[in-house]
Amino acid sequence: MHTVVVGTSGTSAADVLAVARGGARIELSGEAVAALSKARGIIDALAAKPEPVYGVSTGFGALASRHISPELRAQLQRNIVRSHAAGMGPRVEREVVRALMFLRLKTVCSGHTGVRPEVAQTMADVLNAGITPVVHEYGSLGCSGDLAPLSHCALTLMGEGDAEGPDGVVKPAAGLLAEHGIAPVELREKEGLALLNGTDGMLGMLIMALADLDTLYKSADVTAALSLEALLGTEKVLAPELHAIRPHPGQGASAANMLAVLKGSELTGHHQDGAPRVQDAYSVRCAPQVAGAGRDTMAHARLVAERELASSVDNPVVLPDGRVESNGNFHGAPVAYVLDFLAIAAADLGSIAERRTDRLLDKNRSHGLPPFLADDAGVDSGLMIAQYTQAALVSELKRLAVPASADSIPSSAMQEDHVSMGWSAARKLRTAVDNLARIIAVELYAATRAIELREGLTPAPASRAVIDAVRAAGVEGPGPDRFLAPDLAAADAFVRGGHLVTAVEPVTGPLQ
C-alpha cells in the first residue's frame, strides 16, 4: 500500500487524494517528530508562567479574557472539543473526513501548533486504521477554522462520540479505538484548540473538486466535439492560429482537444442540402472560450490550494523564535473565493453543454436530424425528457453558483464578526461537480446517438472509439423508446469514471 510521509513543510494535492480516496497509510517523518517536540517545549514553558497566554492558559473566543488555573487546563481542552462538536444534519462523506483529518495532521506536524508528538501519532493511527469520525453537514462558518467538523474528529481521538469503522459500521469511538489498539489521547494545554482551528475541510474539498473537474473539463471538450460533428459544424474555428491571437491558455487547450477529437471526420463542414453555413451557433463555435475560461479559473484555484497546502493554519501559532502569537490566518476567505468561482465556471460549462444538446434535438436547428433523435417521432419521444432532466440540472447549477463567500454572519458574541462561509462554498461545489458530470453525460448520450443517425458519413476515429466504448459500457444506441434512466445512469458512470477520456486518448494522444 502507498505510504505518505508527513513532514514539516506541508503536503501535496496528490498526497491528500491518496489518503482521502486511496486509503494510503501515513507515517510521521523524524523531522516532524523533532519539530513537534521542540514546539511543545515552548508551550510547556509558557504554561508554567503566571502570565496568561491565549490558547494556553486562557479561555477561547469571546471568553479569552479569563485566566485558567493549571488544574483546570486539561478540562478546558476536553471541554472545547466537546462543546464545539455541535454539528447537525447529514453525515459528511468519508473521503471529506479523511482529507479533513489528514490536512489537520499536516499543520500539526509543521511544528507551529505546540501539539505533542503522541497526539499527532494518534491522528495517523486513526487514519491508518480506517476509522472515520462522524462529521455533520452544518457547523462551520469557515472562520476560526472548520470548528464543528474538526471538533468531531478530535472527539474521536479522545475516545468519545461515534465513528465509522473500516467495515462501514458506525460504533462508539471508544470501542473502535480499543479494537485497533489505539489509546485515547488526554489533551493538554493548547492541544484541543490546535486540533480545531484550520481551513482543512474546505481545502480538502477544493483539492478533490479540482481533481474531478480536471476529468470533467476534458470530457466536456470531447462531448463538445461530438456535438459539433453531429451538427455538421465546422472545425475551422478550432484552428490554433485563431486561438493564438487571444492567448488564454485554457482556451487554446480546449480548442486543441476538440480539434484532436475531430481529426479525420467526414461529418464536419457538410451542410444540409448543400447550403453553406457562415457560422455555427455560439454554443458550438464558442465552446473553447467557455471551457477555456473555466480551465483558467481552475489554474488560479490550484495556485490558492498549493499555497494553502504549504501553510500552517492555527491560532495562536508557535513561531521559530519561540514567540506564541495570536493571528487571523484561520480565516477561510482565500479558499472560499475560489470555491465559489469554480461553482460559477461549472454552471456555465453545464449551461453551454445543455444548449448543444437542445440543438441536437430540435429538427429546426439540427440540420437534418430527426426530432428529439426519435426512431418514429410522434410514436416515440426520443430524448425529449432526457433534455428536461439536463435542463433541471443546469438550473440547479445556476442556484449553486450564488456565492457563499459574499455572505457573513457574526458569531461568538461579535468577537468573530466576519466569517468566510468557505465550508458552505465547498459543500455546494461538491453538488455542482456531481451535477456537471450528469449534464455532460446527457450531452454524450445525445451526441453519440446523433452521430450514428448520420448515415453515409464516417465519424472521426476518436468519435468512433467513444461510441464503441460507451456502447460496451451499457449505453444503448438509436432505436425505439425504452426506459431511459438506466442508459443515463450508465452514461453518467462512464463520464464520472474518466472513461470518456480514456476512450479517446489512444486515438488522440493525451488531452490537455
Side-chain angles (χ1 to χ4, degrees):
M1 183 180 290
H2 178 60
T3 298
V4 171
V5 178
V6 184
T8 60
S9 57
T11 190
S12 68
D15 283 346
V16 175
L17 294 169
V19 172
R21 291 179 165 174
R25 291 188 60 79
I26 300 163
E27 291 181 4
L28 308 186
S29 71
E31 175 193 32
V33 173
L36 285 160
S37 297
K38 180 180 178 181
R40 186 63 210 180
I42 294 170
I43 295 299
D44 287 340
L46 288 171
K49 292 183 177 182
E51 298 85 8
V53 177
Y54 176 70
V56 177
S57 52
T58 70
F60 310 112
L63 304 175
S65 59
R66 178 178 171 182
H67 182 256
I68 308 299
S69 59
E71 66 272 13
L72 294 176
R73 290 175 189 169
Q75 180 181 341
L76 170 68
Q77 299 303 318
R78 288 194 299 271
N79 285 352
I80 190 176
V81 173
R82 290 168 175 165
S83 65
H84 287 41
M88 296 182 74
R91 283 181 58 196
V92 171
E93 303 86 355
R94 182 176 185 270
E95 67 177 14
V96 172
V97 180
R98 286 183 63 82
L100 174 75
M101 289 189 70
F102 174 67
L103 287 166
R104 195 71 219 138
L105 176 59
K106 175 269 297 182
T107 283
V108 164
C109 287
S110 69
H112 292 296
T113 67
V115 170
R116 288 169 295 151
E118 49 265 46
V119 176
Q121 186 59 57
T122 301
M123 296 173 75
D125 291 343
V126 167
L127 284 164
N128 289 340
I131 297 171
T132 307
V134 171
V135 173
H136 299 279
E137 181 84 15
Y138 302 105
S140 174
L141 299 179
C143 206
S144 290
D146 290 319
L147 285 174
L150 282 163
S151 298
H152 282 276
C153 295
L155 201 67
T156 294
L157 299 178
M158 292 166 48
E160 299 182 20
D162 293 328
E164 180 186 292
D167 59 358
V169 177
V170 175
K171 300 177 183 178
L176 278 172
L177 295 183
E179 287 176 21
H180 292 85
I182 301 171
V185 297
E186 294 284 344
L187 298 177
R188 288 169 47 180
E189 291 94 342
K190 195 182 177 302
E191 289 180 332
L193 184 59
L195 294 177
L196 316 185
N197 216 335
T199 55
D200 309 290
M202 63 184 91
L203 175 59
M205 286 186 273
L206 172 60
I207 289 165
M208 288 186 282
L210 284 169
D212 295 338
L213 287 169
D214 183 68
T215 297
L216 292 180
Y217 268 81
K218 292 176 183 175
S219 300
D221 288 341
V222 176
T223 57
L226 295 175
S227 292
L228 183 153
E229 192 173 24
L231 290 166
L232 307 179
T234 176
E235 79 281 13
K236 290 182 179 180
V237 295
L238 305 173
E241 56 270 27
L242 292 175
H243 299 277
I245 61 175
R246 194 190 191 196
H248 293 287
Q251 176 180 322
S254 288
N257 286 345
M258 290 181 65
L259 200 58
V261 171
L262 292 168
K263 185 177 181 180
S265 174
E266 291 185 3
L267 278 74
T268 56
H270 286 263
H271 305 302
Q272 185 183 11
D273 301 324
R277 224 177 308 159
V278 176
Q279 296 182 128
D280 291 312
Y282 282 10
S283 60
V284 177
R285 188 180 2 141
C286 301
Q289 284 77 10
V290 172
R295 286 168 171 272
D296 291 342
T297 301
M298 289 170 60
H300 172 61
R302 283 194 191 95
L303 178 61
V304 172
E306 287 166 5
R307 290 169 177 166
E308 201 76 1
L309 284 167
S311 301
S312 297
V313 177
D314 193 18
N315 181 44
V317 292
V318 181
L319 295 173
D321 61 8
R323 285 180 296 146
V324 176
E325 297 285 0
S326 180
N327 67 91
N329 284 341
F330 50 74
H331 200 287
V335 183
Y337 292 169
V338 294
L339 288 163
D340 280 334
F341 201 173
L342 288 172
I344 292 169
D348 203 32
L349 187 65
S351 180
I352 198 170
E354 183 275 331
R355 288 293 79 206
R356 289 190 295 264
T357 304
D358 180 67
R359 186 165 289 273
L360 288 167
L361 306 188
D362 183 352
K363 70 181 182 65
N364 296 311
R365 295 179 292 138
S366 67
H367 306 285
L369 291 168
F372 303 105
L373 306 182
D375 187 63
D376 184 3
V379 175
D380 294 313
S381 294
L383 306 191
M384 180 190 294
I385 307 304
Q387 185 268 331
Y388 280 36
T389 299
Q390 192 187 37
L393 290 163
V394 169
S395 289
E396 177 70 4
L397 277 187
K398 292 174 183 177
R399 290 188 288 271
L400 292 167
V402 176
S405 59
D407 186 26
S408 177
I409 188 164
S411 58
S412 193
M414 294 300 288
Q415 176 74 0
E416 299 169 6
D417 60 350
H418 184 84
V419 296
S420 78
M421 302 308 295
W423 174 273
S424 299
R427 295 305 296 166
K428 69 183 183 65
L429 178 59
R430 284 180 68 83
T431 303
V433 170
D434 279 346
N435 285 349
L436 179 60
R438 296 181 180 110
I439 290 164
I440 293 170
V442 175
E443 183 180 17
L444 171 67
Y445 190 45
T448 52
R449 177 183 281 208
I451 289 172
E452 288 185 297
L453 290 171
R454 294 289 190 190
E455 297 178 358
L457 293 171
T458 303
S463 303
R464 184 74 260 167
V466 169
I467 293 168
D468 292 344
V470 80
R471 298 291 173 256
V475 182
E476 294 188 36
D481 279 358
R482 55 182 173 271
F483 181 23
L484 272 189
D487 272 3
L488 296 177
D492 179 34
F494 189 78
V495 170
R496 198 178 300 270
H499 305 300
L500 180 52
V501 177
T502 58
V504 300
E505 287 190 329
V507 180
T508 63
L511 297 181
Q512 300 182 43

